[in-house]
Amino acid sequence: MYYFLAMLALTDLGLCLSTLPTVMGIFWFDAREIGIPACFTQLFFIHTLSLVESSVLLSMSIDRYVAICHPLRYSTVLTPARIIRMGLSSVFRSVLLILPLPFLLMRFQYCHSHVLAHAYCLHLEIMKLACSSIIVSHIYGLFVVACTVGVDSLLIFLSYALILRTVLSIASHHERLRALNTCVSHTCAVLLFYIPMIGLSLVHRFGEHLPRTVHLLMSYVYLLVPPLMNPIVYSIKTKQIRQRIVKKFEFIKSLRGFQQD
């Protein structure tokens, strides 16, 4: 579980860092322009890391399934080597699927307004600025979403259906609650990731008549809320992480007290 938490934390950190240059440039320096190569590079990292996070959440659901449904085989099924292979396969899948997107966008001529609604570059928004046919890029984007986020979400739902069936077969009410409690943090992380993603996609595709403020709000919720809330959720629900955080604060407090003396 801690390997997967480390992967989730690194992915969230990468998402924040990929948007940081343009977001901070706007709010600190009023720098409201970005070059096309830099925009496409940012687009690549944002969408790649989003798919990686979806894969990591799927891996964490598999972790919970094995821990609850096959606890005696947990250490033999989820070995460190296998977990590392799962992480690397998530990265390779995401990179290979997102890599064609910037090259497809480079083929277009952009004759519409070059004003972006967000403080960072997204595939759907840039694609709408093209004055040539975008059908190939549009279909490929839908294909990528369907075979990654779509498949991942279905497998996560299936894993929780199997977990729920196993938990309901447990005779002890206390053991049922204990088993379900181990899934609360992951369930929150899944909802924090998929709900803003679905909301932003719907706003882009069907919300053109909505105020610009709604587009801005959904864009920031999509990229900033999961990295902000995931550490809080896991710190509250995971006893070991909570204890280490408390010890860190106690250590810092003792150092300050020592310096004051």
Side-chain angles (χ1 to χ4, degrees), residues 68-140:
I68 293 175
C69 300
H70 304 283
L72 298 180
R73 298 175 57 193
Y74 183 85
S75 59
T76 58
V77 173
L78 291 174
T79 60
R82 187 166 293 169
I83 291 172
I84 292 173
R85 286 197 295 269
M86 291 169 68
L88 292 176
S89 63
S90 300
V91 174
F92 288 143
R93 183 189 74 161
S94 303
V95 169
L96 290 176
L97 288 173
I98 296 298
L99 190 60
L101 288 182
F103 294 100
L104 289 173
L105 293 175
M106 288 178 186
R107 298 171 54 248
F108 299 145
Q109 294 293 326
Y110 297 95
C111 54
H112 298 303
S113 171
H114 288 190
V115 178
L116 300 176
H118 310 305
Y120 46 83
C121 299
L122 292 176
H123 175 251
L124 274 175
E125 187 177 12
I126 296 175
M127 189 172 58
K128 290 180 180 178
L129 302 179
C131 53
S132 51
S133 176
I134 60 173
I135 186 65
V136 174
S137 183
H138 188 72
I139 291 175
Y140 183 75

Side-chain angles (χ1 to χ4, degrees), residues 153-213:
S153 58
L154 286 176
L155 292 177
I156 290 172
F157 177 80
L158 177 62
S159 67
Y160 270 98
L162 296 174
I163 288 172
L164 189 60
R165 186 183 68 176
T166 301
V167 169
L168 292 177
S169 66
I170 299 175
S172 172
H173 178 70
H174 174 73
E175 291 298 324
R176 288 183 190 177
L177 293 178
R178 182 180 177 184
L180 290 175
N181 189 55
T182 64
C183 300
V184 171
S185 300
H186 179 256
T187 305
C188 292
V190 169
L191 295 177
L192 286 170
F193 176 76
Y194 283 105
I195 290 177
M197 174 181 280
I198 294 171
L200 182 63
S201 179
L202 292 175
V203 166
H204 269 296
R205 296 183 186 278
F206 308 109
E208 294 181 357
H209 62 284
L210 294 174
R212 188 166 177 266
T213 307

Side-chain angles (χ1 to χ4, degrees), residues 211-226:
R212 188 166 177 266
T213 307
V214 176
H215 290 260
L216 289 172
L217 179 63
M218 288 304 303
S219 68
Y220 287 120
V221 168
Y222 164 59
L223 283 183
L224 299 181
V225 169

